[in-house]
Amino acid sequence: MSIGALSESLVVDEFDIASGVFGSFRLKSFYQPIFSRAGGALHLTGLQGMSMPSLLGQPVAVDAFRSECSSEVQGRVSALGLAVQLHNYGHVGIAGLDLHVDCDPCGGASVLSLLSERYAPGCEDVVLGPEKLVCEVSSSTQADQDFWDGLEELRWKGVRLAGSFGADRTLPAGAKADLVRIESAWFRKICNEPTARLLGPMISVMRSHGAKVLIGGIDTAHQLRIALEAGADQFQGDFLARPVSAGCAFDETQLSIAVLLGGGQNVVSFRR
């Protein structure tokens, strides 16, 4: 599905903020900050793109929205949500941030065509170059070989590929991940178990294979401490910053780790 084919489903307001139209629903883009550690602070280095449905101006639960989407239109809806995120990235107002997007195999050829056209020779996006895009695979269950081949072609252009640990979001054995996301529910569960110390060695193995590690779903200071001690590269969660809608200002202020942890306690690595 081309960008032109999606244009009739995109509505752009007077501020050039786009939203997607699907029946009576509107898809709006939100971005949640992703942080990296630099000394005693966390600084903003990326954004997680999200497409949130609304109906008559009110937010709608994602599950409720999906129940309205038949399998025949899943690809179009996935591509439409991605198109909104890509369009509105230019209004973030902070140059150089990575954009993490969900490459849903349900979208299949539609999602891949959208990205391939965006980075076709002569059509490269200057604002969001391919080296700034991170494609996170949302599920491996519906991905066929054509899908993986398409992602590899995007990687050749500079797009990075992310897998996931702790859910079904795994990559094929032959696919090399540039980044591994520690799935939020799995991470929060291990934080409540005595096995939390195993996280550090696991991350060390992932990094030894050339992948950076992102931990999402950080909701408390305790969880942040575990993520820091384990040696993760990137950090995301409502405790650090909530998603912000497209067009709103982002706070670039570095976050003090001492303040976040409450009392300036030292962070000692659990890795061995």
Side-chain angles (χ1 to χ4, degrees):
M1 183 175 294
S2 67
I3 295 174
L6 287 170
S7 60
E8 63 184 25
S9 298
L10 291 175
V11 175
V12 180
D13 66 16
E14 63 272 24
F15 301 106
D16 194 42
I17 303 298
S19 58
V21 178
F22 177 74
S24 300
F25 293 93
R26 298 293 183 270
L27 288 176
K28 299 182 180 296
S29 58
F30 288 76
Y31 303 93
Q32 184 166 34
I34 294 172
F35 298 88
S36 298
R37 183 175 183 176
L42 299 179
H43 63 105
L44 180 62
T45 56
L47 300 170
Q48 176 73 46
M50 306 172 181
S51 298
M52 306 299 292
S54 65
L55 181 64
L56 300 177
Q58 298 300 316
V60 176
V62 174
D63 289 343
F65 171 68
R66 287 177 177 169
S67 68
E68 298 289 328
C69 303
S70 65
S71 58
E72 291 78 13
V73 301
Q74 285 288 346
R76 182 178 181 84
V77 171
S78 296
L80 182 59
L82 178 57
V84 169
Q85 294 170 34
L86 296 175
H87 178 96
N88 292 334
Y89 170 87
H91 298 289
V92 168
I94 305 175
L97 296 180
D98 292 339
L99 177 62
H100 295 237
V101 296
D102 186 0
C103 279
D104 187 352
C106 273
S110 298
V111 168
L112 292 176
S113 296
L114 177 64
L115 294 174
S116 296
E117 182 177 338
R118 189 179 189 89
Y119 298 118
C123 301
E124 296 88 347
D125 191 316
V126 176
V127 175
L128 179 61
E131 74 284 353
K132 290 298 179 183
L133 188 67
V134 182
C135 286
E136 299 190 9
V137 180
S138 58
S139 173
S140 61
T141 56
Q142 301 183 50
D144 56 21
Q145 189 58 47
D146 288 342
F147 180 81
W148 298 121
D149 290 344
L151 282 182
E152 282 301 317
E153 182 178 345
L154 287 170
R155 290 187 70 188
W156 182 81
K157 296 178 179 179
V159 173
R160 281 167 286 165
L161 178 62
S164 186
F165 182 88
D168 67 343
R169 301 173 63 174
T170 55
L171 301 178
K176 181 179 182 298
D178 300 290
L179 180 138
V180 176
R181 173 183 287 274
I182 303 295
E183 195 270 330
S184 300
W186 186 90
F187 170 68
R188 287 192 288 262
K189 179 180 179 181
I190 199 173
C191 284
N192 296 322
E193 301 288 343
T195 51
R197 288 179 174 268
L198 296 176
L199 185 60
M202 289 168 49
I203 289 178
S204 293
V205 171
M206 295 173 188
R207 296 185 69 187
S208 71
H209 287 88
K212 290 189 174 182
V213 178
L214 184 157
I215 293 183
I218 298 174
D219 291 335
T220 67
H222 171 67
Q223 293 169 0
L224 175 61
R225 171 176 293 281
I226 290 176
L228 289 165
E229 291 173 342
D233 297 288
Q234 298 178 336
F235 311 85
Q236 178 188 354
D238 288 355
F239 179 69
L240 303 175
R242 293 183 178 274
V244 177
S245 62
C248 293
F250 282 80
D251 187 354
E252 298 183 67
T253 306
Q254 291 190 350
L255 305 179
S256 166
I257 292 175
V259 172
L260 289 169
L261 296 181
Q265 305 170 52
N266 293 327
V267 176
V268 181
S269 176
F270 284 159
R271 288 178 291 172
R272 293 291 183 264

